[in-house]
Amino acid sequence: MKVVYDIKEWKEQAVVATIGFFDGVHSGHYFLIKEMLRIASERKLPAAVITFPVHPRVVLHSDYQPELLNSFEEKLELLSQTGVDYTIVMDFTPSLAALTAREFIADVLSKQWHVKTLLVGYDHRFGHSRSEGFEQYVMYGRTCGMEVLNAVSYSDEGVTFSSSGVRQLLYAGNVAEAARILGYFYCLKGHVVNGYKVGRSIGFPTANIAVDEKSKIIPSAGSYAVWVVTGGQRYKGMLYIGSRPTLRDQGEMSIEVNMFDFSGDIYDEAVTVEFVDFIRKDMKFDSLDALGRQMREDKIKALTAIDNAQSASNIFFHKVEKMHDGQ
């Protein structure tokens, strides 16, 4: 996949494209992109995803705080796994936001980027005020020689896959269901920072994590079964999110991970945690001994959850592939 930032780099004379912010690049997005790839193959044209580096609402509302499922770099990495030929990174500017749907289709997508077939997500709207819909897009496309097609939504067992749905699940701590919709384990990337070093006194040394992407969603407080990736190795583990009520009455939110079968100092090292399942809510214990006993139980639950979980490979995406193959 080639990432294109500048229209001056664009050499294609005709492409099939779809457009969106694609936060999470979840299974619904994957279903849409695979449909676009099928259409591109039929028309013998390259396939392009058009997306934005910053959430459009940040440009429209300066005080808007995005709640992201991916950093921009993570999004590009996920898109690179879909098989598209190009990802076009388009700056969402006030002047772009002021365009009508007709102007955007004719002057930007057709004239600048040479989109010949546009696949529109079932719920996607663009253009100033976002008041127009698919029927108008088809009409505007026809006037400039662009074919506009409407994609269907992807659902499984009655669940419609959406970024907003994933956010709600993460805030509820339901990371297992979030993984089913995303098509992979939700992750946080960060660096290990100095902590209070209390865990080692009860047999569970933890690494405190400072998350790199400040706009990424932090799942609800509690303990989780996780995979931990650091130094090129993967470890089973359990992660705690909370204010450490057993140690103090009030405090800042802490993210701490205990890696199983690991020893060593990883201070200041990069670390990625992949959320497999929820273990329990955050709670206050009467003593450190009581906390230690609970963590021993948590470890057993975490190991069971990890062993029972599906592989960290895109096994959920594979299910979407089978749907496209008619299986």
Side-chain angles (χ1 to χ4, degrees):
M1 180 188 81
K2 183 175 181 179
V3 182
V4 181
Y5 293 89
D6 191 339
I7 189 65
K8 296 177 182 178
E9 303 173 16
W10 193 237
K11 305 301 182 184
E12 298 291 349
Q13 294 304 306
V15 294
V16 177
T18 189
I19 184 169
F21 188 62
F22 295 103
D23 189 28
V25 195
H26 55 65
S27 294
H29 294 140
Y30 195 72
F31 185 80
L32 168 68
I33 292 169
K34 284 299 174 182
E35 179 65 11
M36 179 187 66
L37 289 171
R38 182 189 65 78
I39 294 168
S41 177
E42 289 178 352
R43 287 151 179 74
K44 295 180 172 54
L45 292 174
V49 167
I50 301 172
T51 192
F52 310 101
V54 177
H55 197 289
R57 289 181 63 182
V58 173
V59 176
L60 298 174
H61 308 284
S62 59
D63 59 345
Y64 176 71
Q65 298 295 320
E67 300 170 313
L68 300 180
L69 301 175
N70 297 140
S71 68
F72 179 62
E73 291 73 19
E74 289 168 352
K75 178 164 65 174
L76 290 181
E77 173 60 29
L78 288 164
L79 288 172
S80 74
Q81 298 174 29
T82 64
V84 298
D85 298 293
Y86 297 97
T87 289
I88 296 171
V89 180
M90 188 179 296
D91 285 331
F92 192 87
T93 62
S95 59
L96 187 69
L99 296 178
T100 64
R102 181 196 293 270
E103 292 168 335
F104 183 69
I105 288 173
D107 298 338
V108 177
L109 297 184
S110 179
K111 187 178 296 184
Q112 294 183 16
W113 294 101
H114 307 150
V115 175
K116 294 302 179 185
T117 300
L118 177 67
L119 186 62
V120 180
Y122 77 99
D123 62 346
H124 188 71
R125 295 287 184 273
F126 51 78
H128 180 65
S129 79
R130 297 164 57 92
S131 59
E132 297 174 298
F134 178 71
E135 291 183 1
Q136 288 77 29
Y137 303 159
V138 171
M139 181 175 61
Y140 301 151
R142 191 176 295 126
T143 62
C144 59
M146 181 192 299
E147 176 186 31
V148 180
L149 304 176
N150 199 15
V152 298
S153 65
Y154 172 59
S155 63
D156 181 33
E157 298 178 358
V159 177
T160 298
F161 288 22
S162 69
S163 300
S164 59
V166 176
R167 294 185 192 101
Q168 292 173 7
L169 290 167
L170 293 175
Y171 283 133
N174 193 349
V175 295
E177 181 65 11
R180 186 170 79 88
I181 294 178
L182 285 170
Y184 54 88
F185 297 130
Y186 182 71
C187 74
L188 292 175
K189 295 182 179 181
H191 286 76
V192 177
V193 297
N194 272 325
Y196 293 92
K197 300 180 175 60
V198 174
R200 67 182 60 182
S201 68
I202 54 177
F204 291 93
T206 59
N208 286 61
I209 300 173
V211 177
D212 292 338
E213 174 55 70
K214 302 307 180 185
S215 294
K216 280 200 73 167
I217 290 175
I218 306 298
S220 67
S223 295
Y224 295 86
V226 296
W227 282 103
V228 187
V229 182
T230 187
Q233 300 294 319
R234 292 174 61 83
Y235 303 89
K236 298 175 181 179
M238 57 185 180
L239 178 136
Y240 167 79
I241 299 172
S243 57
R244 302 162 57 92
T246 302
L247 303 179
R248 55 188 188 275
D249 291 333
Q250 293 181 337
E252 296 180 354
M253 187 67 68
S254 178
I255 302 176
E256 307 172 21
V257 65
N258 171 245
M259 294 182 290
F260 306 151
D261 302 319
F262 173 84
S263 61
D265 183 7
I266 57 170
Y267 174 70
D268 208 31
E269 294 293 325
V271 62
T272 298
V273 291
E274 300 172 348
F275 289 81
V276 177
D277 209 348
F278 182 79
I279 299 175
R280 63 171 173 84
K281 295 180 179 179
D282 193 11
M283 59 183 70
K284 184 175 183 178
F285 295 91
D286 294 334
S287 65
L288 285 179
D289 286 341
L291 173 59
R293 288 193 297 270
Q294 181 62 58
M295 291 186 72
R296 286 189 285 275
E297 294 181 15
D298 293 344
K299 181 176 180 179
I300 295 172
K301 292 179 180 178
L303 286 169
T304 300
I306 293 169
D307 290 341
N308 290 339
Q310 305 208 49
S311 163
S313 64
N314 287 346
I315 194 164
F316 303 95
F317 279 173
H318 180 64
K319 184 174 182 179
V320 178
E321 291 273 16
K322 292 174 69 175
M323 288 186 64
H324 274 279
D325 293 339
Q327 300 181 28

